[in-house]
Amino acid sequence: MQFGVFSVSDITRDPVSGETPSEAERIDGILKIAVKAEEVGLDVFAIGEHHNPPFFSSSPTTLLSHIAALTERLIVTTATTLITTNDPVRIAEEYAMLQHLSKGRMDLMLGRGNTAPVYPWFGQDIRQGLPLALEHYNLLHRLWREDVVDWEGEFRTPLQGFTSTPRPLDDVPPFVWHGSIRTPEIAEQAAFYGNGYFANHIFWPTSHSKRLVDFYRQRFEHYGHGTRKQAIVGLGGHAYIAKRSQDAVSEFRPYFNEAPVYGHGPSLEEFTRGTPLSVGSPQEVIDKTLTFHDAFGDYQRQMFLIDHAGMPLKMVLNQLDLLGEEVVPVLRKELAARRDPESADAPTHAARVKAKYGDAPARQPRPNANRGDNVTGASPYQDSDAAAEYPEI
């Protein structure tokens, strides 16, 4: 089981102090949050992708590469990589490079995002959002598994004899999560390819997310990737922790009331009762999180949102201390005791390399001699024929 934190990279006015951090302050702060996450024993840090104010994370791979350089164990990933408006060729290249720079300590979550104007900004039509997501990943999947790709689709120019570089580290593609709040077609796509499915599980009742997770598990088994228990599931969550539950409620209330996604609707108490939001003492957060296992069964990754709505950096770092020292160790122990031995382990690069090669050395692609034109003819790699002997991962 992997535990981590994610940020949507918002830059929001602190409703208590009245101050709004600068972009530079927020970017510096997110680096401190990621490093702190590793220091307190968490496994994963994720950042979203946005291309408009008040967000700063327009280049997730640049940010995550720097975080990987600052850490030693932390898995870096995305809270959303926009599969709809990014060119899948650029996703293939940029995330393979991140995979190399992080020495495999990365994966990514694909999604459609929630900012409608981003589609025309990048030359796409929001009415085609779902077909874009499906077609773009179909191409991305091939670019990471085939040395030379011929491809033609509806939403980008054709490819003839194209090789995406660098090739994935050890010729093992990054692990992919497909994230969705409400779309069964995305759960279907995740199941078809045997990839992970990530349910945001923040704004909606658990019963809503459970329907999609159950559907994904059913289809994962249908496509022959394993049993339903072996499907790979991740969940989002949102927690605010204090030593005493009364303090947690009083401290978090002003941020909840003014949050762009929460505020001016149901009360904090109503939202906490009706959604996965957890506000309270460490034990209350533990108890609420364990109800996720009651609903979903074994799952592989739990992510918490802890830094949005204008919360100052000092408060976020304190949350990480409480999460890493008092909440996650208990959750690890409790969930390990409940774990079905048939359930899948959380995905890692090392495990995926082992699954592909066993005890044999991993493939290290080496280009043929430079002719000045390596874009025509046969594969540009010396061992393309031998590479086909390994199972697809």
Side-chain angles (χ1 to χ4, degrees), residues 150-183:
D150 295 318
W151 179 88
E152 185 171 351
E154 182 177 353
F155 298 111
R156 79 172 316 282
T157 54
L159 298 175
Q160 295 182 348
F162 181 78
T163 298
S164 176
T165 59
R167 303 305 298 150
L169 178 65
D170 300 316
D171 207 36
V172 172
F175 185 79
V176 170
W177 303 84
H178 299 260
S180 177
I181 297 174
R182 60 184 177 273
T183 308

Side-chain angles (χ1 to χ4, degrees), residues 184-250:
E185 289 88 347
I186 299 302
E188 174 80 15
Q189 186 182 42
F192 178 80
Y193 286 106
N195 294 337
Y197 178 71
F198 193 95
N200 192 19
H201 199 230
I202 291 181
F203 307 119
W204 298 79
T206 292
S207 59
H208 170 84
S209 299
K210 185 177 185 302
R211 285 194 292 271
L212 285 170
V213 170
D214 287 349
F215 174 70
Y216 159 71
R217 290 186 187 276
Q218 173 192 347
R219 301 302 288 170
F220 182 93
E221 183 176 75
H222 168 80
Y223 287 117
H225 299 296
T227 67
R228 298 183 189 197
K229 292 180 181 179
Q230 294 169 326
I232 300 174
V233 173
L235 297 178
H238 187 192
Y240 185 87
I241 316 164
K243 291 285 189 179
R244 302 191 315 158
S245 59
Q246 304 95 312
D247 294 336
V249 171
S250 63

Side-chain angles (χ1 to χ4, degrees), residues 40-356:
V40 301
L42 301 184
D43 307 303
V44 186
F45 173 83
I47 192 73
E49 179 183 350
H50 290 275
H51 297 274
N52 58 289
F55 303 95
F56 66 81
S57 181
S58 58
S59 181
T61 52
T62 304
L63 178 65
L64 294 175
S65 293
H66 186 58
I67 290 172
L70 295 174
T71 56
E72 297 180 355
R73 182 184 52 81
L74 194 70
I75 296 171
V76 295
T77 187
T78 52
T80 299
T81 296
L82 297 177
I83 188 63
T84 46
T85 50
N86 283 308
D87 183 352
V89 170
R90 294 299 295 138
I91 294 177
E93 295 173 337
E94 291 180 8
Y95 284 89
M97 180 63 77
L98 172 60
Q99 188 189 33
H100 280 269
L101 295 174
S102 67
K103 304 302 182 186
R105 290 187 291 119
M106 60 77 66
D107 50 40
L108 69 159
M109 181 170 69
L110 303 178
R112 290 182 288 163
N114 59 8
T115 306
V118 75
Y119 285 83
W121 292 342
F122 288 86
Q124 301 292 357
D125 184 342
I126 192 173
R127 293 170 295 184
Q128 298 296 322
L130 183 57
L132 277 164
L134 299 176
E135 181 179 294
H136 279 185
Y137 179 69
N138 294 343
L139 174 56
L140 176 62
H141 183 86
R142 291 186 58 193
L143 290 169
W144 276 337
R145 289 163 175 81
E146 301 175 30
D147 284 350
V148 180
V149 173
D150 295 318
W151 179 88
E152 185 171 351
E154 182 177 353
F155 298 111
R156 79 172 316 282
T157 54
L159 298 175
Q160 295 182 348
F162 181 78
T163 298
S164 176
T165 59
R167 303 305 298 150
L169 178 65
D170 300 316
D171 207 36
V172 172
F175 185 79
V176 170
W177 303 84
H178 299 260
S180 177
I181 297 174
R182 60 184 177 273
T183 308
E185 289 88 347
I186 299 302
E188 174 80 15
Q189 186 182 42
F192 178 80
Y193 286 106
N195 294 337
Y197 178 71
F198 193 95
N200 192 19
H201 199 230
I202 291 181
F203 307 119
W204 298 79
T206 292
S207 59
H208 170 84
S209 299
K210 185 177 185 302
R211 285 194 292 271
L212 285 170
V213 170
D214 287 349
F215 174 70
Y216 159 71
R217 290 186 187 276
Q218 173 192 347
R219 301 302 288 170
F220 182 93
E221 183 176 75
H222 168 80
Y223 287 117
H225 299 296
T227 67
R228 298 183 189 197
K229 292 180 181 179
Q230 294 169 326
I232 300 174
V233 173
L235 297 178
H238 187 192
Y240 185 87
I241 316 164
K243 291 285 189 179
R244 302 191 315 158
S245 59
Q246 304 95 312
D247 294 336
V249 171
S250 63
E251 291 166 8
F252 184 64
R253 189 181 299 280
Y255 297 95
F256 176 89
N257 288 344
E258 296 299 321
V261 293
Y262 290 141
H264 314 292
S267 70
L268 173 58
E269 289 75 13
E270 290 171 325
F271 211 90
T272 304
R273 285 194 300 269
T275 76
L277 174 63
S278 182
V279 180
S281 67
Q283 189 59 54
E284 288 173 312
V285 173
I286 290 167
D287 291 342
K288 183 79 172 265
T289 307
L290 289 175
T291 67
F292 303 168
H293 184 273
D294 296 338
F296 296 97
D298 289 342
Y299 60 109
Q300 285 68 37
R301 181 174 288 181
Q302 175 65 59
M303 301 293 288
F304 293 99
L305 174 64
I306 59 166
D307 79 325
H308 87 311
M311 292 172 59
L313 178 61
K314 182 178 180 180
M315 180 180 283
V316 176
L317 297 179
N318 181 60
Q319 289 294 294
L320 283 167
D321 281 329
L322 292 166
L323 187 66
E325 295 170 6
E326 300 197 30
V327 173
V328 167
V330 178
L331 288 173
R332 287 193 197 278
K333 182 178 179 180
E334 291 286 338
L335 292 172
R338 298 182 181 195
R339 186 177 183 274
D340 189 316
E342 187 182 337
S343 299
D345 292 329
T348 65
H349 180 72
R352 287 162 58 75
V353 170
K354 182 72 173 178
K356 182 169 183 176

